[in-house]
Amino acid sequence: MLVTGAILPFLLGLSRVYVGVHYPSDILAGFALGIVLVIILTKLTDKRRKQLESVNRNNTNRAV
């Protein structure tokens, strides 16, 4: 699945340049933007996951 997610956009970008509807710089800018967004969203979701884990650890309901 990860390989498909990496190869498919690359091939699509190559096809857009081959057909002549985009310049190579357009494709590279799109790839760069996509990579930056993935990094930012990964950091945000990791931060949110850690917050939720902390809350869950502090709010353990123990039956008496």
Side-chain angles (χ1 to χ4, degrees):
M1 188 68 135
L2 182 61
V3 173
T4 303
I7 292 175
L8 193 59
F10 177 73
L11 293 175
L12 184 66
L14 286 179
S15 73
R16 303 279 69 194
V17 173
Y18 179 77
V19 173
V21 294
H22 290 289
Y23 292 112
S25 60
D26 296 342
I27 303 302
L28 291 175
F31 287 159
L33 179 62
I35 290 169
V36 168
L37 286 174
V38 165
I39 291 169
I40 290 171
L41 291 174
T42 300
K43 288 187 182 285
L44 287 174
T45 56
D46 283 347
K47 182 178 178 182
R48 180 68 178 150
R49 182 182 49 80
K50 288 178 184 176
Q51 287 175 344
L52 289 174
E53 286 175 358
S54 175
V55 168
N56 288 338
R57 249 185 270 124
N58 293 332
N59 290 332
T60 55
N61 295 327
R62 296 183 183 150
V64 178

